[in-house]
Amino acid sequence: MNTPTEAWTLRINLKLSSGMSLFKARDWWSSILGEGEEFDQGCLCVGDVDNSGTGHDKVVVGSYMGMLRIFSPQANKPVEGAQALAESQLLEVNLHNAIIQVELGKFVSCSDLLHLAVLHPRKLSVYSVSGTTGNVDHGDQYQQKLVYEHNLQRTACNMAYGTFGGVTGHHSLCIQSMDGMLMFFEQDSYSFGRFLPGFLLPGPLVYNPRTDSFLTVSSARQLESYRYETLATATEAENRQELPLKGGGKRLTPDWTLVLGEQTLELSVPSFSHSSSSIFVLGERNLYCLRDNGQIRFMKKLEYNPSCFLPYASLTDGTTNLLLGNHTNMLLVYQDVTLKWASQLPFVPVAVRVASFPDLKGVVVSLSSEGLLLCSYMGTDPSFYSTPKVESRDVDYEKLDAELKRLQKYIREASRTQDILPKGDTQEDLTVTAVISKNMDNPSQAHIQDIDGLPVPSVTVQLKLKSNSVVQGPRLTVTVQPPLTVTQNHFVLDTMGVGSSTAVSFSAFLNGHYPPADLTGDITISYTAPTEINPKGVPRVLQSRFSLPLVLVCASSTPAKSTKFKITIDTNQPPVDLQTMFPEFSPKSEEKDGNSLSFQFLSGQKVSLVASKSSQRYRIQSDSFEDMWLIAKELVQRCDRHFAKHGVKDFRKSFSGPIPLQDYFLAVEQHFQLRVSAKQYQDLLSERAVQFRAIQRRLLTRFKDKTPAPLQNLDTLLDATYNQMMSLAEAAEEIQTQLDQAFARLRSGTHLLVLLLSLWQGLPPDQISLLEASLLPLLQDTAQLGWEESCDAAVTHLLRTCLSRSPKEQAISLAQTADTVLELPKDTARLKKHITLLCDRIGKGGRLSLCSEANVQLPAQIQNLAAPGGVEPSADAPGGEPLPLQQDAATFIKKKQPSKKVKKGEYAGFAVI
């Protein structure tokens, strides 16, 4: 082991050998400062704080917890143990304020002694430290005495000291605040304060005595130099808003700047008589050495993350040595840009200093952020590691081959994509069951008690949760389709143990003057489930769905005498009694037979449902195309449940066409026109807002003018513009309400179109889901992205991929496709054309798939097969004239109907209601 004498020969202020080896820093003295305290780079300084005159340094350490400690390290003596460590500590006092920085200097006038300056967030204190020789075995006694202090009006960040203005004999202090003000103190008096221009966040601050200037790094990541003379003669300001903009004072500007392009950790201006004048800047990735005028002497790119540095004197003229600590627990010694030595520390240093003690000179004093204070020297005892000797043994190749196969199997299983996430258990952590009350609430919980004379009911939904494992912090959210709403949509539940259960209840009801597009509700439960690897819990989400009853949005009514729209659905089973299929509407129905029902939507039109007496058909008819969707959906679902309950496995349902595209396009056009109107109102409102702000600026200029001038009717124009803005805002809000209703009706019409297409061609569930996702890509319309452009992009993609006529056409279409921006189109002609083409290709046997090669064209003989039934405009249109059929959109999908005479007042076996 090295002796202190040998270490002195290797002290860091001597020329180091050119060989580079990694050694451990030799521990000469160390101490752990408190428990749970924090330290930073400004919390450490060394010097003769007690003015002993021996030339030996003491170590001063301050912490963010307000503890001030002074040490005089001595070599660790194993015989004395903890007693030697206690003798090294001279003083420990609690200042009850966080200590940001400590410095030693001549801070008291008419005194050449060193004093200790301690910077707190809102106070600067200067102390004198003195020692009294003890007469007993307890040793010397040290105490600190407050000389003066300054209460700061702004929160401090850091400070610098020096002979500002060329004054010799004492030091002045400069404190940088968190809001960018430099506050100058000359002993016990405050001199002046200046705000730094363009300030955002504080950076390192250092004083250069050679040029009498201050160096700091701004938030623009550039090094700036301000002369003390410029700071002293700049305009005084109490706050940043009072800085001069035009005339009336001298604006503060930097003497020179240098763009660094990175955040700076520390600045240093060493003053060595035999060294050239240099400024050192430690960045996050680079080390810079500059001249006093800002020119770069050299720069070194660092391959690690530095934590602190300290320049010190070198015996070679024109060079400077550096101690540089990094986040890999390394302490590196550089001579300019050449690495001379590397040693290992037991921690990441946040501050490093060089000190001389009675037993050893040139000791490296380093401090960690947790409070480990270490005095070390550059020893040459390496930390050797010898690998243990491996016993020789015969190789069993069969056993190694079996182990290799087993490990390869584990690697293949771990490399699978589906195994990245944890495998789902056979039993869910949480089970959710939704129970819908069979009876409506009495009284109703609806916010709107009646709509057009019809009472608005509400129904209670009870959600039962049962946990099969520990479920922590479950949060339940309920979502329904507008204008449906619930009394409470968010629930915060307690942690559930294994086998525990709980239940929440809420009421659902209609809260608008238009029917919803869907009666389903979504349940989302987010929770954390503890595992063996993560006992705190892994976040998981459980989703479920429930359906609200049809009676919530409609009531039984008398049948309408005439309707505009009719839909016919064919089946292969005899018609079911509608009174049996819709029992909740049977008691209120006035019909004696079960062949017809009439539904009155609370905020819509009447919809009639008729079962044929002589054929296996059902007809849905109404004056509103979109309102037929919910009845058609309920009819299809209840038929499926009815025949499945009776064990009928070959039940089939179909739609013979033609597809009512023109009726559907009416809803598309109405929604588009409302979007255009909404955009126009928004543009007009933006123009009036710009005009309103311009008038306000004009008026403000007139009011601030010292010479009174007439307003020239600007106040009248301001009032008129304000009234226009209010009117436009109300109109835009009304248009938005109508747009929400139109989008709900458009969704209902789109759902009905998808249902008819699936019944028409017998699409499987996967193709139905793909078709619905293409025609309904959005659940909500926004001003930035609307249904028209989204649907057009999705349908166009289907036409160019899986529904293309040939691979050649597909390749040409994809090659010609450019990056299009989704924006509001000029009209709906293109969208209508693409939807029409989509129905045409589906009718000709096109198959929807995400794979472009999935399209298989059916033979022409199959395509020409006709089926009876269909959808036709009602002959009982207003005015007694039949509605004209749009040939351009319906001729290609209309099938040949069997020639059959229909008597007036009857339609294919249906009774007129």
Side-chain angles (χ1 to χ4, degrees), residues 204-320:
L205 179 68
V206 71
Y207 173 70
N208 187 356
R210 294 185 295 269
T211 59
D212 193 24
S213 59
F214 292 87
L215 301 170
T216 185
V217 179
S218 66
S219 299
R221 296 186 175 181
Q222 63 180 8
L223 181 65
E224 299 177 351
S225 174
Y226 296 91
R227 290 187 177 274
Y228 178 76
E229 180 181 1
T230 305
L231 293 167
T233 58
T235 304
E236 180 77 22
E238 293 297 330
N239 53 62
R240 187 170 297 278
Q241 284 71 22
E242 296 180 6
L243 292 178
L245 296 178
K246 296 182 179 178
K250 186 174 181 180
R251 188 182 181 93
L252 182 60
T253 56
D255 184 32
W256 54 263
T257 60
L258 176 66
V259 177
L260 301 176
E262 62 178 323
Q263 189 64 36
T264 302
L265 302 179
E266 201 170 349
L267 297 175
S268 180
V269 182
S271 299
F272 307 130
S273 59
H274 59 277
S275 175
S276 59
S277 302
S278 300
I279 301 171
F280 288 90
V281 182
L282 179 63
E284 292 179 331
R285 291 295 181 185
N286 298 280
L287 174 67
Y288 305 87
C289 180
L290 314 176
R291 294 185 174 89
D292 287 338
N293 58 1
Q295 296 180 356
I296 298 180
R297 285 187 57 205
F298 62 81
M299 169 183 169
K300 179 173 179 58
K301 184 175 179 61
L302 306 178
E303 298 179 355
Y304 44 81
N305 294 326
S307 60
C308 61
F309 83 134
L310 175 71
Y312 67 95
S314 173
L315 296 180
T316 303
D317 292 337
T319 62
T320 302

Side-chain angles (χ1 to χ4, degrees), residues 442-511:
N442 188 16
S444 175
Q445 302 296 323
H447 297 164
I448 305 175
Q449 292 301 319
D450 63 273
I451 299 177
D452 297 334
L454 295 175
V456 179
S458 65
V459 65
T460 300
V461 181
Q462 186 181 31
L463 302 180
K464 298 180 180 180
L465 289 76
K466 183 178 181 181
S467 62
N468 302 315
S469 60
V470 178
V471 176
Q472 299 175 351
R475 294 174 178 267
L476 187 146
T477 304
V478 180
T479 307
V480 292
Q481 301 296 328
L484 293 173
T485 188
V486 294
T487 54
Q488 184 177 355
N489 61 354
H490 188 71
F491 300 88
V492 179
L493 308 178
D494 297 331
T495 299
M496 302 175 63
V498 180
S500 62
S501 60
T502 185
V504 296
S505 299
F506 58 89
S507 295
F509 50 87
L510 189 67
N511 194 33

